Amino acid sequence: MRPASREHVAPVDSGPRVGAAAFRPSRRRGCITVSDRLAGMQSWSDIAVPPVPGQGPPLRLFDTADRRVRPVTPGPTATMYVCGITPYDATHLGHAATYLAFDLVNRIWRDAGHDVHYVQNVTDVDDPLFERAERDGEDWVVLGMRETALFREDMEALRVLPPRDYIGAVESVNEVVEMVGKMLAAGAAYVVDDSEYPDVYFRVDATEQFGYESGYDRETMERLFAERGGDPARPGKQDALDALVWRANRPGEPSWPSPFGPGRPGWHVECSAIALNRIGSGFDVQGGGSDLIFPHHEFSAAHAESVVCERRFARHYVHTGMIGLDGEKMSKSRGNLVFVSKLRGEGVDPMAIRLGLLSGHYRQDRPWTPEVLEAAEQRVALWRRAAALPTAQNVDDTVARLRQHLADDLDTPKALDALDGWARRAVDHGGHDAAAPGLFSDAVDALLGVTLR
C-alpha cells in the first residue's frame, strides 16, 4: 500500500530494524532479472484459530461503489485481495489498522465455515523505494526485502492471519507484461511515441463504467490523480487521466524485457495482474485504505475489466479510514508516524496495539493517542483476568452478540463493549459455568485475533 500520494521521503525514526545480512543485493541498479531476487515472496507464519461453537449472521460490509452496507455472499471459498505495502519504511499504525480490518473479514468468513483465499501484494519496485535507497545510500533490493521482513514480523506479532498468496511486484513482472500486451491488442492502451521514453498508457475511456467505484467527478479525479502518483502533464498522453501501465527504461532504473521495450510495471496494473492470476475477476472483496479509492483501485479495476470484458472487477470494494496523530493523518511526508515495531521494541503488548486500533470503527478516520493505548492496555488486563477465572457466568449470549456486531459492517466498538460488560460482571460477581472463561478466551481469539493466554 502506498501512502495517500507518491510522497517524497522525509527522514523519520522507524525504530528497530531487521539486519540486511540475510538478503542478497542486486548486481547493479540498471537492468535486473527476477533471478536477482531470492525465489518468491514469503508470507509470515500461520496462526491457529480455535473453533467456537455456533455460527453468526452473514457478513455485511459497506461497499464503496454502491455507497451502502450490503451482504457479502461468498461461495464455499471466499476470495479477497488487499493491497500491500511499498516497503521503503516500517509498518506504521495506519498500515496496521487496514490489515487488522481485513483480518476480521478473514476470521468472520472462517468462523462461518468458508475456506479463504486471501491474496496480498508487495510493491517492491517503485519510485518511493528508489528515492529512499538513494537518500540512504543503500541497495533498493536490500531495503525492500528488509522492510518486507519487518512488516511480516509486525503482522505476526499482531496475529494477523497470513495471505495464501503473498506476491511481490518483481516476481509478477511477466504477468504484467502479458496483461499490458493484452491491453494494447484490445486498444485499451497505447504507446506514447513522441518521446525518447515510449511509455505505455491505459486509456481512461477504455471501459464504459470507469468511475463507478469512486463515484468522483472529473474535477476531483484530476486533483487526486495529480496528488497520488499520476502524471497529468506528461507530454504525448491522449488524456490527462490516462494511467501509466509500463514505464520505459530510464538511466539508473531497473528494467525488464518486454515486447514493447524494456521497462517496469506501473502501479495499478501490478495489482490487476496479481489478482486476476490468483483469484480471477469477480472475487468477493478488494480492500485497502480510503486513500486508495482513487486512482489506485479505480484504475486497477478498470485495467482488469478491459482485459476480461466484465463489468466489475470485485463484488465488494471495502476501504478503511485513516489513523491520525496530533490532528493530522499519519504519513511519511509529515514524519508523524507511530511504528508498530517501535511500540513493540518499547515493550507494548501487541494485543493492546491491536485492541487500540479496533476500538474505533474501521471506516472512520480516527486518532491514535496515549489515552487510546492506555484504554486498550486496561481492556486486555480486564479480559485476561476474566479468562483466568475458574468459573464465570454463562458467556453464550455475549459470544452471539460479538458475532452479530462484527457481521454488521465490522462494528468493533459495540463488539468490544459487549465483551467488556461480560468481563466486568465475571470479575465482580463470578458465576458457576466452568466452561465460560475458556469459551470467552477462544471467541476473543478466533473472532478478534486477541490472545488472552
Side-chain angles (χ1 to χ4, degrees):
M1 177 190 298
R2 290 188 184 189
S5 63
R6 193 184 296 217
E7 297 166 317
H8 294 292
V9 178
V12 292
D13 174 17
S14 57
R17 292 297 189 184
V18 176
F23 306 119
R24 175 192 306 162
S26 62
R27 291 190 288 273
R28 59 191 184 280
R29 197 170 170 217
C31 293
I32 68 171
T33 65
V34 175
S35 62
D36 288 320
R37 306 295 297 271
L38 295 177
M41 190 70 67
Q42 299 296 314
S43 190
W44 53 96
S45 300
D46 203 0
I47 296 165
V49 178
V52 179
Q55 193 170 33
L59 176 63
R60 300 168 69 249
L61 292 172
F62 184 87
D63 180 74
T64 301
D66 289 344
R67 279 49 119 183
R68 62 186 176 92
V69 175
R70 61 180 182 82
V72 182
T73 56
T77 297
T79 48
M80 178 167 62
Y81 183 93
V82 178
C83 291
I85 60 167
T86 301
Y88 62 102
D89 215 330
T91 316
H92 61 72
L93 293 182
H95 294 140
T98 292
Y99 299 119
L100 289 179
F102 294 103
D103 187 55
L104 295 183
V105 174
N106 193 341
R107 289 171 180 276
I108 292 166
W109 277 338
R110 292 190 186 198
D111 183 58
H114 296 283
D115 182 30
V116 180
H117 192 164
Y118 173 26
V119 182
Q120 188 179 129
N121 74 306
V122 181
T123 304
D124 56 350
V125 54
D126 201 8
D127 291 344
L129 189 61
F130 306 150
E131 292 168 6
R132 172 55 62 88
E134 187 75 25
R135 191 203 74 179
D136 293 348
E138 68 175 313
D139 189 285
W140 66 272
V141 173
V142 172
L143 171 63
M145 296 183 77
R146 186 181 69 241
E147 297 303 335
T148 301
L150 182 55
F151 173 77
R152 290 195 298 261
E153 289 180 11
D154 287 338
M155 293 298 99
E156 193 165 342
L158 292 173
R159 305 190 78 251
V160 173
L161 300 173
R164 181 181 302 182
D165 293 308
Y166 192 52
I167 309 296
V170 168
E171 63 184 296
S172 64
V173 167
N174 290 340
E175 300 171 37
V176 171
V177 169
E178 180 183 8
M179 186 167 178
V180 172
K182 291 179 179 179
M183 294 164 71
L184 285 167
Y190 62 93
V191 178
V192 172
D193 56 8
D194 62 347
S195 167
E196 60 179 317
Y197 300 120
D199 300 325
V200 182
Y201 281 86
F202 176 79
R203 300 179 189 275
V204 72
D205 61 355
T207 62
E208 293 183 2
Q209 67 269 24
F210 184 84
Y212 77 92
E213 183 183 337
S214 66
Y216 297 154
D217 58 27
R218 173 79 187 203
E219 181 180 358
T220 302
M221 287 183 181
E222 289 181 350
R223 176 177 58 81
L224 293 176
F225 188 72
E227 292 174 357
R228 298 176 177 177
D231 55 354
R234 165 64 156 98
K237 288 174 57 173
Q238 297 176 7
D239 189 297
L241 284 180
D242 289 350
L244 180 73
V245 291
W246 187 256
R247 178 177 168 87
N249 186 39
R250 267 75 161 172
E253 293 187 359
S255 68
W256 289 261
S258 81
F260 23 94
R264 58 183 171 90
W267 176 26
H268 317 306
V269 71
E270 162 202 345
C271 288
S272 302
I274 290 172
L276 284 179
N277 285 312
R278 291 351 176 260
I279 50 179
S281 183
F283 56 93
D284 292 304
V285 169
Q286 181 178 32
S290 59
D291 53 349
L292 298 184
I293 295 172
F294 192 91
H296 184 52
H297 282 175
E298 192 79 69
F299 273 107
S300 62
H303 293 342
E305 290 156 2
S306 74
V307 170
V308 299
C309 300
E310 292 186 7
R311 171 66 177 76
R312 188 160 169 143
F313 183 42
R315 298 170 67 191
H316 238 93
Y317 298 99
V318 181
H319 296 96
T320 61
M322 300 289 102
I323 303 299
L325 183 70
D326 299 327
E328 292 187 313
K329 188 201 81 169
M330 287 188 190
S331 70
K332 291 181 174 68
S333 64
R334 294 187 176 99
N336 66 341
L337 302 180
V338 178
F339 294 99
V340 173
S341 56
K342 189 170 184 179
L343 289 174
R344 292 196 293 121
E346 293 169 352
V348 176
D349 185 345
M351 296 302 93
I353 300 172
R354 184 169 180 122
L355 280 178
L357 291 171
L358 294 179
S359 64
H361 194 274
Y362 81 98
R363 284 196 285 117
Q364 293 179 337
D365 294 343
R366 55 201 190 274
W368 179 265
T369 65
E371 291 76 21
V372 168
L373 178 57
E374 181 180 2
E377 290 172 330
Q378 292 173 354
R379 174 170 275 143
V380 172
L382 171 65
W383 290 6
R384 285 182 173 151
R385 286 178 63 195
L389 294 171
T391 60
Q393 60 193 313
N394 185 276
V395 75
D396 291 349
D397 180 64
T398 299
V399 172
R401 291 170 62 200
L402 169 62
R403 283 180 163 133
Q404 179 181 355
H405 293 318
L406 291 179
D408 184 16
D409 196 29
L410 308 183
D411 193 343
T412 53
K414 288 184 179 179
L416 301 190
D417 284 346
L419 295 167
D420 286 345
W422 182 89
R424 289 192 190 98
R425 291 191 298 273
V427 169
D428 292 342
H429 305 295
H432 304 288
D433 188 342
L439 178 56
F440 175 77
S441 180
D442 285 348
V444 167
D445 187 342
L447 291 161
L448 288 178
V450 174
T451 179
L452 301 178
R453 297 189 171 100

